């Protein structure tokens, strides 16, 4: 479909719905959509599209129950505790307390991972899109947190829980839910469908009208919604508008690439999927223009950035999936060449779009997006490293029936440094970890910081042993009292990690050259160094240097990108350098140099 830039969002919505459903059904869906939009309390735009993101932006990624108000990590919340009162009686209230005490002025937004009632996949198998999981708190808890920190909500649009009321009504063959899910012929040739999991694509179920097979991309408990039915699309638009009404500043489209199914195709990144994302964008541009879309597609880079559209009609931000495995490879091998080569190709289609840079999250480190950059042997070496460090590896099924690594599971701190290696000083492990985070913070885009990265958390082996689910290595729930006691002790490992991270964030947010739209140039100083020049912006240019080796690097300043500068100042340490200085980079050292100081 061709977009007409001169049309209004509502006119574009009609075009998109006609493309998806034909003229008659599309026009009928458009009329219903307008009713939804007219009922929404329309908000004025308070910032220009080019001002959506800034250098002050950093997003905390956390589950709603990472911090528990109880006395011990992992203890369930007692029934009947006070909710939504501003105290710490619920996990969401405990999250608010932690964030207000420790993160104000450091992170700009909090991404609460799915906080709705669910049946599996740690929240991503949603039973009710419009209620808060009572184990976490209630809507007043969410809204109270949103008064201090803008929020990112998960919009799990591809599938919902098999235990939820929608699918249970489908099993009873009750309209309109009898058309909400995809019924497929198990004899059909679906061998070309892209598979992100090793579980079966189709799941047989008994309905009031007999047995059918439903489409289940991710698991038998996560049943894919049927977007070929316009009623499903309209209902999900209503869900999204509810999130905007509840204060979402960013809406994350989870696993969005799989949304539209067409037998005989790969069923990923289909044109219809892109049209639906664009329609979501039109809807928000029309009634909530300050709400931005973030797409989550754990796929090769070219497919990932396709969700920028033309730079103005699709997502404002896309996840930067290759970054984590490439940084891990650089620090594991002491060679940043492949990281540098990839980073030199990065660009966005407009100054209103940017990357969501992250190296750790609620998931593991996905390796599929790096497969066009790293060899199979290099990917396997990363998997071997994770296993050696006490982590796990998840696998996917290939079209030929074989399996290959899909995700590396564990905490980033332990994946980078062997937790069982007592001979390596903690100072070295800390420097290696902070180097990894500094790379992320220096790159063009908005950084996403997984909550456990703030503390250098270790693998939660007890959690993994309880559940048998590999991702639980990285999902430890923390007693709020315990983590605050550790942070109050400056000699504790958690406090030292947090202090180092705070310093990076404090400096970053003060630098116009680190604005997401500031120019970025990768500097080639050889494999041991990942180096980029940011700027000029607002008269400032910064050269960010990151030693990815355990060796001390040294030389004249001009050999580190300072050839044209009479002087430079390291904004992290305050050191100044002139052309006559001896310039050193300690093992895993980081220098953010302001030129012409």
């Amino acid at each position: 479909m061709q977009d007409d830039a001169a049309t209004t969002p509502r006119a574009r919505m009609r075009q998109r719905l006609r493309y998806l459903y034909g003229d008659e059904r599309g026009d009928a869906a458009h009329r219903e959509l307008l009713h939804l939009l007219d009922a929404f309390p329309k908000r004025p735009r308070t910032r220009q599209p080019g001002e959506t993101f800034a250098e002050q932006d950093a997003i905390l990624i956390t589950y709603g129950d990472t911090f528990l108000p109880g006395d011990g990590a992992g203890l369930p919340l007692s029934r009947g505790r006070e909710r939504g009162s501003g105290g710490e009686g619920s996990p969401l209230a405990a999250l608010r307390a932690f964030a207000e005490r420790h993160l104000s002025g450091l992170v700009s937004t909090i991404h609460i991972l799915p906080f709705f009632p669910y049946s599996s996949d740690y929240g991503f198998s949603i039973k009710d899109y419009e209620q808060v999981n009572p184990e976490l708190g209630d809507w007043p808890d969410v809204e109270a947190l949103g008064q201090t920190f803008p929020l990112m909500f998960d919009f799990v649009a591809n599938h919902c829980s098999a235990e939820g009321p929608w699918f249970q009504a489908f099993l009873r063959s009750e309209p309109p839910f009898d058309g909400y899910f995809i019924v497929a012929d198990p004899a059909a040739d679906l061998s070309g469908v892209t598979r992100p999991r090793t579980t079966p694509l189709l799941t047989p179920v008994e309905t009031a009208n007999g047995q059918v097979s439903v489409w289940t991309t991710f698991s038998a408990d996560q049943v894919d919604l049927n977007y070929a039915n316009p009623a499903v699309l309209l209902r999900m638009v209503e869900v999204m508008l509810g999130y905007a009404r509840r204060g979402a500043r960013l809406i994350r489209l989870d696993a969005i690439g799989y949304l539209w199914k067409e037998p005989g195709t790969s069923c990923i990144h289909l044109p219809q999927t892109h049209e639906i994302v664009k329609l979501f964008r039109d809807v928000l541009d029309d009634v909530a223009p300050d709400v931005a879309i973030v797409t989550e597609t754990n796929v090769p880079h070219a497919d990932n950035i396709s969700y920028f559209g033309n730079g103005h009609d699709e997502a404002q931000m896309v996840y930067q999936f290759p970054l984590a495995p490439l940084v891990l490879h650089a620090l594991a091998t002491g060679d940043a060449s492949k990281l540098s080569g990839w980073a030199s190709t990065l660009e966005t289609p407009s100054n209103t779009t940017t990357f969501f840079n992250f190296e750790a999250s609620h998931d593991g480190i996905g390796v599929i997006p790096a497969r066009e950059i790293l060899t199979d042997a290099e990917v396997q070496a990363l998997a071997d490293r994770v296993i050696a460090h006490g982590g796990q590896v998840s696998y996917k099924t290939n079209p030929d029936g074989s399996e290959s690594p899909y995700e590396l599971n564990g905490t980033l701190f332990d994946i980078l440094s062997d937790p069982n290696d007592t001979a390596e000083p903690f100072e070295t492990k800390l420097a290696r970890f902070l180097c990894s985070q500094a790379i992320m913070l220096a790159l063009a885009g908005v950084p996403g910081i997984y909550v456990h990265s703030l503390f250098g958390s270790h693998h939660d082996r007890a959690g993994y042993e309880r559940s048998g689910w590999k991702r639980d290595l990285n999902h430890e729930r923390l007693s709020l009292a315990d983590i605050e006691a550790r942070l109050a002790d400056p000699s504790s490992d958690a406090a030292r990690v947090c202090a180092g991270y705070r310093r990076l964030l404090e400096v970053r947010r003060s630098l116009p050259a680190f604005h997401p739209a500031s120019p970025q140039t990768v500097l080639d100083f050889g494999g041991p160094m990942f180096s980029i020049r940011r700027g000029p912006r607002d008269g400032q240019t910064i050269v960010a240097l990151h030693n990815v080796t355990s060796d001390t690097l040294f030389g004249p300043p001009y050999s580190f990108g300072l050839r044209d500068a009479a002087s430079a100042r390291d904004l992290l340490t305050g050191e100044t350098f002139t052309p006559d200085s001896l310039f050193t980079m300690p093992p895993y050292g980081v220098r953010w140099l302001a030129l012409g100081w």
Side-chain angles (χ1 to χ4, degrees), residues 7-178:
T7 62
T8 65
R10 295 190 175 199
R12 292 195 297 272
M13 292 176 213
R14 180 171 182 250
Q15 293 172 0
R16 302 194 198 289
L17 291 167
R18 282 183 154 213
Y19 171 81
L20 292 168
Y21 305 117
D23 291 355
E24 184 176 347
R25 295 173 74 211
D27 284 347
H30 185 245
R31 288 191 293 271
E32 291 189 46
L33 178 57
L34 294 186
H35 288 310
L36 289 177
L37 300 182
D38 289 341
F40 187 88
K42 188 171 182 177
R43 302 176 187 173
R45 183 182 294 277
T46 61
R47 61 179 76 185
Q48 295 304 308
E51 299 172 351
T52 301
F53 309 110
E55 63 270 22
Q56 291 83 16
D57 283 314
I59 299 174
L60 180 76
I61 307 167
T62 181
Y63 278 105
D65 62 353
T66 295
F67 300 101
L68 298 178
D71 296 329
L75 294 179
L77 181 68
S78 299
R79 295 291 181 183
R81 287 186 178 177
E82 188 177 4
R83 313 278 190 186
S85 63
E88 297 171 10
S90 72
L92 283 170
L95 169 61
R96 178 190 175 199
F98 178 85
E100 289 181 346
R101 289 199 283 263
H102 299 280
L103 300 179
S104 293
L106 292 178
V107 302
S108 60
T109 302
I110 293 180
H111 172 201
I112 315 175
L113 290 153
F115 50 84
F116 314 102
Y118 72 98
S119 55
S120 64
D121 200 11
Y122 222 101
F124 285 90
S125 183
I126 295 175
K127 294 196 289 188
D128 189 333
Y129 288 97
E130 295 166 317
Q131 297 297 322
V132 174
N133 181 353
E135 296 280 326
L136 304 181
D138 53 21
W139 277 117
D141 284 323
V142 175
E143 291 161 356
L145 179 61
Q147 291 174 4
T148 305
F149 295 90
L151 300 178
M152 178 156 78
F153 284 18
D154 268 288
F155 184 24
V156 185
N158 181 72
H159 51 263
C160 67
S161 170
E163 297 183 12
W166 291 3
F167 190 68
Q168 292 301 306
F170 169 86
L171 295 178
R172 296 190 296 270
S173 301
E174 294 177 4
F177 302 102
D178 54 350

Side-chain angles (χ1 to χ4, degrees), residues 490-545:
S491 66
S492 73
D493 291 351
R496 294 170 69 186
V497 173
C498 195
Y501 218 133
R502 288 183 64 91
R503 178 59 180 159
L504 291 171
L505 287 170
E506 287 168 350
V507 172
R508 182 188 188 275
R509 65 184 289 111
S510 68
L511 304 177
F514 279 162
H515 188 284
S518 177
Q520 174 172 288
T521 304
V522 176
L523 305 175
D524 185 8
F525 299 146
M529 188 89 72
F530 178 71
S531 311
I532 54 175
R533 182 190 298 261
R534 298 295 311 279
R537 186 177 179 92
D538 294 347
Q540 184 182 71
T541 297
I542 290 175
V543 171
L545 307 175

Side-chain angles (χ1 to χ4, degrees), residues 157-158 253-260 273 277 280 295-297 307:
N158 181 72
L253 303 184
D254 174 68
I256 195 65
Y258 299 94
L259 203 67
W260 192 277
T273 293
V277 176
F280 290 156
T295 52
E296 187 265 347
T297 51
Y307 288 87

